[in-house]
Amino acid sequence: MRTRTAVLLAAAASATVGTAALALRAGHWRLYADRHRIELTPRPRRSCPHCRGAGGWWVGGANPEMEACGCWSERRELTWRLLPRHAVPYDESPF
């Protein structure tokens, strides 16, 4: 009975991960996860008529700068904190 339950849970987990990955790709998000945080950052849309998926364009003369396209730069980044980071000894004051 335990083996059957484990197989069913594994199948459900893989289906959930696949669905989440498809939703993130369709919504133009990039996922980063580790034990301290989960981050969702926006990605440029390939179908954007302004940047055509490049994320922006170069403007300026002698010192060009990249101007970000609004298809991704106007969307905010989402971050969820999971586990606190441990204090590193050199982060503390010496006295």
Side-chain angles (χ1 to χ4, degrees):
M1 190 67 156
R2 287 185 183 176
T3 305
R4 183 177 179 188
T5 304
V7 169
L8 288 175
L9 285 175
S14 66
T16 302
V17 168
T19 304
L22 183 62
L24 288 172
R25 196 171 287 217
H28 305 286
W29 291 94
R30 180 175 296 128
L31 173 69
Y32 173 79
D34 64 11
R35 52 187 275 201
H36 300 289
R37 70 186 178 279
I38 298 173
E39 290 181 357
L40 288 173
T41 54
R43 293 182 6 197
R45 293 184 330 211
R46 284 193 221 169
S47 62
C48 178
H50 303 291
C51 70
R52 294 183 179 93
W57 48 88
W58 293 96
V59 294
N63 298 320
E65 295 181 359
M66 183 170 181
E67 184 174 331
C69 183
C71 71
W72 69 272
S73 67
E74 295 173 359
R75 295 167 54 192
R76 65 186 187 126
E77 180 178 297
L78 304 172
T79 303
W80 292 278
R81 301 274 179 213
L82 300 176
L83 293 174
R85 292 187 178 266
H86 297 292
V88 181
Y90 55 79
D91 285 345
E92 300 173 3
S93 61
F95 304 104

